[in-house]
Amino acid sequence: QVQLVESGGGLVQAGGSLRLSCAASGRSFSTYAMGWFRQQPGKEREFVAAISWSGTSTYYADSVKGRFTISRDNARNTVDLQMNSLKPEDTAVYFCAADSTSVQAGNIDYWGQGTQVTVSS
């Protein structure tokens, strides 16, 4: 069992930056692929970024590539999402995700409760 708790969301102006963090508890964090999804009102949850269990491979949605960076610290059981050059269309609830195989596939083993990110124009 893995519990995920996100933090770092908030309100920021367009062009600004935010850093989201996800703290994981439970066993075997370092064996899970980790990632972030987001959900806007009235829309389905969508993939944002993922990182392999070792941290050597990262994956990004086209909409955030070049602006967002995902990283993990297996010693601290955390995964972060650095978000730069934020746009109003990045406004969403962001969810941390953990999966034993692939986060990008979307069949997620564990979800966090979500954190709101609001980007004003």
Side-chain angles (χ1 to χ4, degrees):
Q1 190 81 341
V2 176
Q3 292 81 42
L4 305 173
V5 178
E6 301 97 335
S7 61
L11 173 65
V12 64
Q13 288 189 331
S17 299
L18 277 177
R19 188 176 184 89
L20 304 183
S21 186
C22 175
S25 60
R27 298 189 302 176
S28 304
F29 170 80
S30 61
T31 66
Y32 283 86
M34 300 295 297
W36 292 88
F37 286 70
R38 67 187 182 187
Q39 188 167 20
Q40 298 169 327
K43 295 187 177 181
E44 292 190 356
R45 196 171 295 187
E46 64 174 2
F47 169 75
V48 174
I51 189 166
S52 61
W53 65 269
S54 63
T56 55
S57 298
T58 56
Y59 312 88
Y60 297 94
D62 288 343
S63 59
V64 307
K65 205 170 290 183
R67 301 188 297 122
F68 291 11
T69 303
I70 189 171
S71 61
R72 69 187 294 163
D73 185 336
N74 286 344
R76 296 174 58 238
N77 283 11
T78 58
V79 58
D80 292 346
L81 185 69
Q82 177 65 43
M83 305 186 294
N84 298 329
S85 302
L86 283 161
K87 305 175 181 180
E89 51 264 43
D90 294 318
T91 295
V93 178
Y94 283 71
F95 296 89
C96 181
D99 193 82
S100 58
T101 55
S102 171
V103 166
Q104 306 92 286
N107 188 23
I108 301 299
D109 290 334
Y110 302 103
W111 291 100
Q113 83 287 352
T115 186
Q116 177 71 46
V117 171
T118 303
V119 184
S120 63
S121 58

